[in-house]
């Protein structure tokens, strides 16, 4: 074939193409004609007019561009209308929506960490849907204090002299460093300069706060004398940070909090412990020995402890600062406090959560995070069995088995611990396991599960009893496509 011939063909092809595009463009309906159609007038009874107009215009514009880019070679009116409808309903549907957590990870950072119980939410609703005593003292008939509502409870359950709540633990650490150590040195072990994820890195938080990081020790070993040698007239704080999501094992040493407190006393320097997760119940009876409770840390006479509200505590997002009255008083007056304060919804959720901690047994049974972590293995077994029994009828589409497995706490809490659990392992016969997982995620009620050894794993630990029927229905729908 000659070059000339190829060139001729190309020109003819381009000419045909141009004509084709022209025809397609001229058959594009106008925005006005679409807006006048019967379907649209029906939608206008449900959706606001400006939105319908906007998405109609957008859909037509996009279609025009696709024609010009040759991405689209045919279309009809019905497909245009359904695309407009898809865009409107996807815009008008909530994006933040419930999912079924079948991962077994209790404090799942991406799925909202700790979940709140209905009766805790009752208090939130009752306080938030009307006016409240948020900053009003009924006895005096005058302005009251926002944090007074939780201080009595926090003192009782942490045994600290006083406490505050801020937006999250990151801001708790930040405001403490800012108030207690701005322009001064803070001594931290190199083994504790952690990154938690979501850009919380101890050295970065430190420099942003205006405190000067004074690293001591090595990655694997830090001794008390390392801290002592680093103390100068400019030392404002000795800081201990929970390693949270990692562990150093082998030839290691970190200084215990009581040793650090003794050193602090000797030099009259306050000691702060960023506990990260912070557990308010004694986990030892559950065979979980490694995690001292918040109360134990407070009892070690540590001056300030900070921890998250929505990790092991099982409350809403928040950061708790507990410790010595004089220091809490100082921190509470830092101008940053206003920027990181919590609103009435958070505060009421905390008040209701702390109220449960007054009776530890109640806390274990009624705070979802604790309940899921500490639930008896027979309860999980029962739940797994229920799920398994209900999907047994799908044997033409799946191989399923109930197996023993392990789940994790998550949220950087108790990282080296695996909790015995029961799972339902599903191997679809007609679709791949990854498309099964993908479909489950896109169900009307999304199911989040993990894949292991080419099977989809439903961990019964984090599936709520009331979700079982929906879960089974979603599995059924996803398999049948
Ligand atoms: C999780 C964690 C934080 C951050 O807490 P948020 O409540 O997520 O802001 C800070 N320090 C440690 C040690 C943590 O584990």
């Amino acid at each position: 074939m000659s070059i000339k011939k190829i060139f001729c063909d190309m020109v003819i092809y381009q000419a045909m193409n141009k004509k084709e595009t022209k025809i397609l463009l001229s058959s594009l309906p106008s925005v006005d004609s679409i807006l006048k159609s019967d379907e649209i007038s029906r939608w206008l009874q449900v959706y606001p007019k400006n939105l319908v107009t906007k998405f109609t215009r957008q859909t037509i514009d996009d279609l025009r561009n696709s024609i010009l880019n040759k991405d689209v070679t045919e279309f009809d009116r019905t497909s245009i209308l359904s695309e407009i409808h898809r865009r409107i309903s996807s815009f008008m549907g909530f994006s933040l929506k419930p999912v079924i957590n079948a991962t077994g990870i209790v404090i799942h950072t991406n799925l909202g960490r700790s979940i709140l119980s209905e009766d805790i939410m009752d208090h939130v609703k009752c306080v938030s849907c009307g006016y409240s005593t948020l900053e009003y003292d009924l006895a005096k008939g005058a302005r009251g204090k926002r944090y007074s509502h939780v201080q009595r409870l926090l003192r009782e359950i942490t045994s600290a002299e006083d406490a505050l709540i801020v937006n999250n633990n990151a801001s708790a650490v930040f405001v403490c460093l800012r108030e207690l150590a701005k322009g001064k040195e803070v001594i931290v072990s190199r083994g504790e300069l952690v990154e938690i994820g979501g850009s919380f890195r101890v050295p970065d938080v430190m420099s942003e706060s205006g405190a000067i990081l004074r690293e001591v020790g090595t990655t694997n070993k830090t001794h008390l004398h390392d801290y002592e040698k680093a103390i100068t007239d400019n030392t404002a704080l000795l800081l201990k940070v929970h390693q949270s999501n990692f562990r150093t094992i082998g030839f290691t040493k970190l200084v215990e909090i009581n040793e650090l407190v003794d050193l602090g006393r000797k030099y009259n320097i306050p000691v702060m412990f960023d506990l990260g997760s912070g557990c308010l119940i004694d986990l030892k009876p559950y065979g979980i020995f490694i995690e001292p409770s918040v109360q134990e840390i407070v009892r070690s006479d540590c001056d300030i402890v900070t921890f998250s509200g929505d990790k092991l505590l099982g409350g809403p997002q928040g950061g708790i600062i507990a410790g010595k009255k004089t220091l809490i008083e100082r921190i509470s007056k830092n101008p940053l406090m206003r920027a990181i304060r919590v609103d009435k919804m958070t505060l009421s959720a905390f008040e209701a959560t702390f109220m449960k901690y007054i009776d530890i047994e109640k806390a274990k049974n009624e705070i979802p995070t604790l309940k899921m972590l500490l639930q008896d293995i027979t309860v999980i077994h029962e739940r797994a069995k229920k799920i398994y029994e209900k999907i047994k009828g799908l044997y033409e589409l799946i191989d399923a088995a109930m197996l023993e497995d392990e789940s994790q706490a998550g949220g950087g809490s108790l990282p080296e611990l695996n909790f015995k659990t029961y799972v339902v392992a599903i191997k679809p016969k007609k679709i791949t396991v990854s498309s099964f997982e993908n479909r489950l995620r896109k169900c009307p009620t999304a199911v989040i599960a993990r894949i292991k050894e080419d099977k989809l794993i439903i961990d019964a630990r984090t599936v709520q009893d009331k979700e079982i029927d929906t879960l089974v229905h979603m599995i059924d729908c996803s398999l049948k496509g």
Side-chain angles (χ1 to χ4, degrees):
M1 201 185 286
S2 72
I3 293 289
K4 204 171 158 192
K5 172 88 169 69
I6 293 175
F7 187 70
C8 274
D9 282 354
M10 264 168 62
V11 171
I12 292 167
Y13 177 73
Q14 278 175 357
M16 268 169 58
N17 241 7
K18 232 177 220 163
K19 206 168 141 208
E20 187 83 333
T21 305
K22 233 179 180 171
I23 293 169
L24 281 173
L25 282 179
S26 66
S27 58
L28 256 184
S30 72
V31 172
D32 262 352
S33 77
I34 296 258
L35 286 175
K36 281 190 192 118
S37 66
D38 289 347
E39 289 92 335
I40 296 273
S41 49
R42 255 184 288 122
W43 297 349
L44 284 175
Q45 289 167 11
V46 190
Y47 304 117
K49 180 157 188 210
N50 53 352
L51 209 68
V52 176
T53 311
K54 176 180 156 161
F55 283 114
T56 303
R57 183 159 292 134
Q58 206 187 70
T59 306
I60 302 281
D61 284 349
D62 288 352
L63 187 55
R64 181 177 302 111
N65 287 331
S66 302
I67 293 168
L68 288 169
N69 290 335
K70 316 256 185 295
D71 296 335
V72 165
T73 49
E74 56 178 2
F75 60 83
D76 58 24
R77 206 181 160 80
T78 323
S79 62
I80 296 177
L81 284 170
S82 76
E83 176 58 17
I84 297 170
H85 191 250
R86 193 195 61 76
R87 291 185 185 200
I88 298 173
S89 53
S90 131
F91 181 86
M92 291 298 283
F94 284 123
S95 167
L96 197 55
K97 52 192 173 189
V99 302
I100 294 177
N101 176 6
T103 64
I105 300 169
V106 177
I107 307 167
H108 198 304
T109 304
N110 304 139
L111 304 182
R113 282 202 188 158
S114 282
I115 61 176
L116 302 174
S117 66
E118 304 264 342
D119 60 326
I120 285 172
M121 288 314 293
D122 285 345
H123 184 54
V124 176
K125 195 170 167 194
C126 153
V127 167
S128 307
C129 293
Y131 297 104
S132 67
T133 53
L134 183 64
E135 285 189 357
Y136 191 80
D137 185 329
L138 288 174
K140 291 184 187 148
R143 182 177 177 156
K145 289 195 170 135
R146 181 174 290 253
Y147 298 112
S148 65
H149 309 290
V150 288
Q151 270 161 332
R152 73 183 188 292
L153 296 168
L154 269 172
R155 271 188 231 119
E156 179 66 26
I157 62 184
T158 64
S159 60
E161 287 176 15
D162 213 344
L164 286 170
I165 300 185
V166 292
N167 182 56
N168 54 11
N169 188 36
S171 52
V173 174
F174 191 79
V175 71
C176 290
L177 291 174
R178 182 102 183 163
E179 176 57 37
L180 305 176
K182 188 179 166 191
K184 299 221 169 101
E185 287 184 1
V186 179
I187 306 179
V188 191
S189 157
R190 289 198 169 90
E192 295 174 3
L193 293 174
V194 296
E195 170 175 324
I196 314 294
S199 78
F200 183 94
R201 295 173 132 194
V202 173
D204 297 350
V205 172
M206 189 83 70
S207 67
E208 282 299 315
S209 76
I212 303 156
L213 172 63
R214 184 79 173 77
E215 310 175 19
V216 294
T218 59
T219 311
N220 57 329
K221 281 205 173 201
T222 304
H223 304 274
L224 193 63
H225 58 77
D226 292 324
Y227 287 89
E228 188 156 17
K229 268 195 297 198
I231 292 176
T232 68
D233 289 345
N234 204 27
T235 306
L237 199 64
L238 305 180
L239 175 66
K240 189 166 172 61
V241 182
H242 193 288
Q243 286 183 326
S244 288
N245 44 10
F246 88 109
R247 287 288 175 269
T248 37
I249 53 165
F251 189 59
T252 64
K253 170 161 174 59
L254 286 173
V255 174
E256 294 297 328
I257 187 67
N258 13 354
E259 301 174 79
L260 213 53
V261 169
D262 289 344
L263 187 67
R265 291 294 162 275
K266 186 169 159 194
Y267 291 90
N268 205 14
I269 299 167
V271 177
M272 171 169 150
F273 194 168
D274 173 19
L275 281 175
S277 204
C279 188
L280 285 167
I281 62 168
D282 185 6
L283 295 173
K284 289 186 199 76
Y286 299 90
I288 307 166
F289 296 101
I290 32 133
E291 202 77 8
S293 65
V294 171
Q295 296 90 321
E296 281 174 79
I297 309 287
V298 170
R299 254 184 270 126
S300 77
D301 213 29
C302 182
D303 299 277
I304 292 285
V305 295
T306 61
F307 51 100
S308 279
D310 52 351
K311 290 185 183 169
L312 277 176
L313 192 144
Q317 180 191 299
I320 292 152
I321 308 171
K324 294 285 157 63
K325 199 172 179 60
T326 48
L327 297 181
I328 295 288
E329 175 100 11
R330 266 177 67 189
I331 296 163
S332 75
K333 292 191 176 128
N334 188 288
L336 247 184
M337 280 300 288
R338 175 58 196 249
I340 57 177
R341 79 177 185 187
V342 292
D343 78 322
K344 56 182 176 286
M345 289 191 278
T346 301
L347 207 53
S348 48
F350 271 123
E351 189 179 26
T353 306
F354 295 151
M355 201 69 91
K356 295 201 183 291
Y357 272 104
I358 298 295
D359 177 350
I360 285 293
E361 286 314 308
K362 213 176 164 126
K364 288 181 200 163
N365 286 321
E366 296 180 11
I367 292 178
T369 295
L370 295 180
K371 194 175 164 186
M372 281 187 273
L373 278 174
L374 304 177
Q375 67 197 320
D376 204 273
I377 189 69
T378 56
V379 176
I380 306 177
H381 185 262
E382 269 308 299
R383 195 178 302 130
K385 201 166 136 199
K386 231 185 230 169
I387 299 167
Y388 175 69
E389 295 291 334
K390 283 181 191 251
I391 61 168
K392 244 173 41 186
L394 297 166
Y395 57 83
E396 282 185 1
L397 301 170
I398 54 169
D399 283 324
M402 195 170 74
L403 307 168
E404 201 183 301
D405 205 337
E406 282 170 339
S407 23
Q408 265 129 37
S413 318
L414 313 169
E416 69 272 53
L417 282 181
N418 290 318
F419 295 77
K420 185 177 155 188
T421 191
Y422 280 94
V423 303
V424 180
I426 307 174
K427 177 147 179 72
K429 289 181 182 169
K430 311 228 155 122
I431 54 175
T432 63
V433 68
S434 73
S435 82
F436 183 36
E437 186 269 344
N438 185 26
R439 284 184 193 180
L440 277 170
R441 247 189 298 119
K442 290 171 184 164
C443 280
T445 301
V447 177
I448 315 297
R450 64 195 156 92
I451 295 174
K452 186 176 158 187
E453 290 158 12
D454 211 32
K455 291 184 194 76
L456 188 98
I457 305 293
I458 304 281
D459 190 328
R461 175 181 296 277
T462 45
V463 174
Q464 310 299 299
D465 286 320
K466 60 176 188 217
E467 292 170 344
I468 293 179
D469 287 335
T470 313
L471 169 67
V472 171
H473 186 54
M474 296 305 135
I475 291 175
D476 188 279
C477 294
S478 301
L479 289 166
K480 290 174 181 163

